[in-house]
Amino acid sequence: MGVIRFLKTRTGFRVDNSQTTSAAALTLRQSIWPLTLVTILFFLWGFAYGLLDTLNKHFQNTMHITRTRSSGLQAAYFGAYPLASLGYANYMLRHFGYKTVFIFGLTLYGIGALCMWPAGLNRSFGGFCAATFVIGSGLGSLETAANPYITVCGPPRYAEIRINLAQAFNGIGTCVAPVLASYVFFTSVDDDVNALKRVQWVYLAIGIFVFVLAGIFFISTIPEVTDEDMAFQVAETHVDEQEKPLWKQYKLFHATLAQFTYTGAQVAIASYFINYVTETWPGTSSATGSKYLAGAQGVFAVGRFVGAILMRFAKARWVFLVYLSCTVAFIAASTTQQARTGVAMLFCTLFFESVCFPTIVALGIRGLGRHYKRGSGFIIGGVSGGAVVPPILGHVADMRNSTGFAMIVPTMFMVVAWTYAVAVNFVPAYSETVDKVGASDIGLREENVTPKDIEEAATAKIG
């Protein structure tokens, strides 16, 4: 009987967004456990993304498809994001809360991973794309909840630091995946088709782990953050942005555009990194290129840790501007370089890319108040740029037979994203809102420690 009662308290429930809870003022100590669980999700996202970049080149070799067609993996993966962030996952987030979306996203991720098995048995690129779409749907759901949750779960003053530290584990995942792939997928110079069978086993292990993690989320207490909590935070900082209807939040839509163009460029660079290395550095194998990609992703993770530390001493918006400006410079330089120099340019590009995605999320939802769940859905939906830019780069590379020249494509998209970094630093309407929320002492005051969160209250009521 006690077990049944316990399980009832662990299930999802309908969230009352008109209710203010203690989650509006969680302290650093109170937020440690939920943030730890959500940070694991970022590692999973990075691991899946890192495998995707490696599979892109692997399928070109084993299935003899063009660079343009291989980008179908990215199109399937990132094309699922707006369906989740603007559709079903966002609806669930607003009506059933974060915990429900976390469990739902993990379940989809696990199902997609298991679907890789029949795709591998049948050597079906279309099957791999379909399984990747399901995985993307799951991860899109997780991102829809995880990014805003990391940002708002704890003192607003440290929002950018929290999300960059959590996303640094995303970078670790993207570093580990290519290393694994270099020993599992690229085991011979000829990229034996038997490696497809090893792909199946990797995804089977992922599926099992993800389902176990979903169970851990089910039994864990996850403080909910309601629309009214965010309205309270914004009111406390004397920001009136939330009084505007959502469609008038032009800064939000500028952040969404920046996320779309930035993510599209980032995904395109990583997706064709191995192509770039093997083409511009004669004699370099795909396995070696995969190891270089792992190294570049490691630099990417380091960049996030460094960026989070810098944000402790400088405003996040300034760090963001410097990083994105350097990203534009180095990716532009890579289009004219070869061999070691060109690869070094891409390493520098990935280092400075590191803080951009999470910082756009954190800055973009500041001041939205009760609109933040819908607003964060738009920004996460911008990840769909990853489905658009890689095919363009692949097509240009096929036309010119040069991946190096095709790096001009992500360069142009990065420039569009750079306009948001400039605006958030030099346009008062942007910078004042960001700075007012960032200067808040919510979650740092001792009087905010006592109230219980919604789920604890529900547990007590059932008990």
Side-chain angles (χ1 to χ4, degrees):
M1 194 59 147
V3 174
I4 294 176
R5 179 177 297 176
F6 173 77
L7 291 177
K8 284 182 177 179
T9 66
R10 300 298 95 188
T11 57
F13 52 89
R14 201 170 185 86
V15 173
D16 184 0
N17 276 306
S18 64
Q19 181 181 356
T20 301
T21 75
S22 66
L26 284 174
T27 63
L28 289 171
R29 179 177 58 81
Q30 291 172 314
S31 62
I32 288 177
W33 174 245
L35 292 181
T36 299
L37 280 179
V38 176
T39 298
I40 296 173
L41 300 180
F42 285 110
F43 175 84
L44 287 176
W45 185 87
F47 189 80
Y49 173 52
L51 283 180
L52 191 71
D53 292 335
T54 310
L55 286 173
N56 184 284
K57 174 60 176 173
H58 176 63
F59 287 153
Q60 291 175 36
N61 296 338
T62 59
M63 296 183 175
H64 308 291
I65 59 177
T66 65
R67 284 167 286 201
T68 303
R69 190 182 175 199
S70 71
S71 67
L73 285 173
Q74 277 70 25
Y77 184 83
F78 291 101
Y81 266 69
L83 298 179
S85 65
L86 298 175
Y88 49 85
N90 194 267
Y91 176 85
M92 293 175 67
L93 179 62
R94 289 184 283 112
H95 293 86
F96 298 97
Y98 287 98
K99 183 174 180 176
T100 302
V101 179
F102 289 146
I103 296 172
F104 173 75
L106 285 168
T107 301
L108 278 182
Y109 185 4
I111 292 172
L114 296 182
C115 287
M116 285 289 191
W117 189 275
L121 286 177
N122 293 284
R123 293 179 54 192
S124 169
F125 181 69
F128 279 114
C129 288
T132 299
F133 180 83
V134 178
I135 291 174
S137 297
L139 290 171
S141 299
L142 292 176
E143 290 252 42
T144 298
N147 282 291
Y149 191 76
I150 285 283
T151 304
V152 303
C153 186
R157 181 174 298 181
Y158 304 126
E160 291 88 358
I161 296 176
R162 278 197 306 275
I163 195 171
N164 274 285
L165 282 175
Q167 288 268 11
F169 288 89
N170 173 310
I172 293 173
T174 58
C175 175
V176 170
V179 173
L180 174 67
S182 69
Y183 292 103
V184 175
F185 304 158
F186 298 119
T187 55
S188 68
V189 176
D190 296 326
D191 293 310
D192 189 352
V193 175
N194 287 327
L196 291 177
K197 296 179 181 179
R198 292 187 285 272
V199 173
Q200 301 165 198
W201 289 104
V202 171
Y203 277 99
L204 176 62
I206 291 173
I208 293 172
F209 177 78
V210 165
F211 283 124
V212 170
L213 185 59
I216 294 174
F217 267 89
F218 181 76
I219 65 175
S220 295
T221 297
I222 305 294
E224 289 292 340
V225 184
T226 67
D227 290 350
E228 203 58 35
D229 288 333
M230 294 308 299
F232 164 77
Q233 283 194 0
V234 172
E236 283 284 293
T237 56
H238 307 290
V239 176
D240 60 359
E241 295 295 322
Q242 64 178 324
E243 303 305 324
K244 299 177 183 177
L246 182 66
W247 63 273
K248 286 188 176 180
Q249 302 283 348
Y250 63 91
K251 290 176 286 187
L252 165 67
F253 296 111
H254 193 178
T256 300
L257 174 64
Q259 195 70 286
F260 179 89
T261 54
Y262 164 76
T263 305
Q266 177 194 334
V267 172
I269 293 166
S271 299
Y272 291 94
F273 186 99
I274 298 175
N275 285 88
Y276 181 93
V277 174
T278 56
E279 291 175 26
T280 64
W281 197 341
T284 306
S285 67
S286 294
T288 302
S290 183
K291 291 183 177 71
Y292 277 119
L293 175 59
Q297 298 290 14
V299 169
F300 180 88
V302 170
R304 275 194 174 150
F305 282 113
V306 172
I309 294 171
L310 291 175
M311 289 177 189
R312 186 68 182 86
F313 304 99
K315 289 182 178 180
R317 57 186 175 89
W318 286 114
V319 177
F320 172 48
L321 176 63
V322 171
Y323 267 59
L324 190 49
S325 298
C326 290
T327 298
V328 173
F330 284 113
I331 187 58
S334 73
T335 62
T336 61
Q337 302 303 311
Q338 300 286 320
R340 290 183 179 86
T341 304
V343 173
M345 293 298 100
L346 289 191
F347 267 68
C348 292
T349 298
L350 265 71
F351 177 89
F352 288 108
E353 282 179 353
S354 56
V355 307
C356 298
F357 177 92
T359 308
I360 291 172
V361 174
L363 297 178
I365 67 173
R366 278 201 164 173
L368 291 180
R370 60 178 57 89
H371 300 305
Y372 89 104
K373 286 182 179 177
R374 288 183 182 273
S376 64
F378 279 96
I379 296 177
I380 301 304
V383 172
S384 59
V388 175
V389 183
I392 299 174
L393 188 156
H395 184 62
V396 172
D398 283 335
M399 286 195 306
R400 298 292 295 262
N401 196 29
S402 171
T403 302
F405 174 83
M407 285 296 172
I408 192 67
V409 174
T411 301
M412 293 187 291
F413 279 88
M414 283 291 187
V415 170
V416 176
W418 181 75
T419 63
Y420 179 71
V422 172
V424 84
N425 279 283
F426 298 108
V427 178
Y430 286 72
S431 59
E432 288 175 5
T433 298
V434 167
D435 290 345
K436 283 181 180 179
V437 178
S440 168
D441 62 352
I442 296 172
L444 303 176
R445 302 190 296 259
E446 288 300 320
E447 60 266 27
N448 291 325
V449 176
T450 54
K452 294 180 180 293
D453 61 81
I454 292 178
E455 189 166 25
E456 288 174 336
T459 302
K461 187 175 180 180
I462 293 174

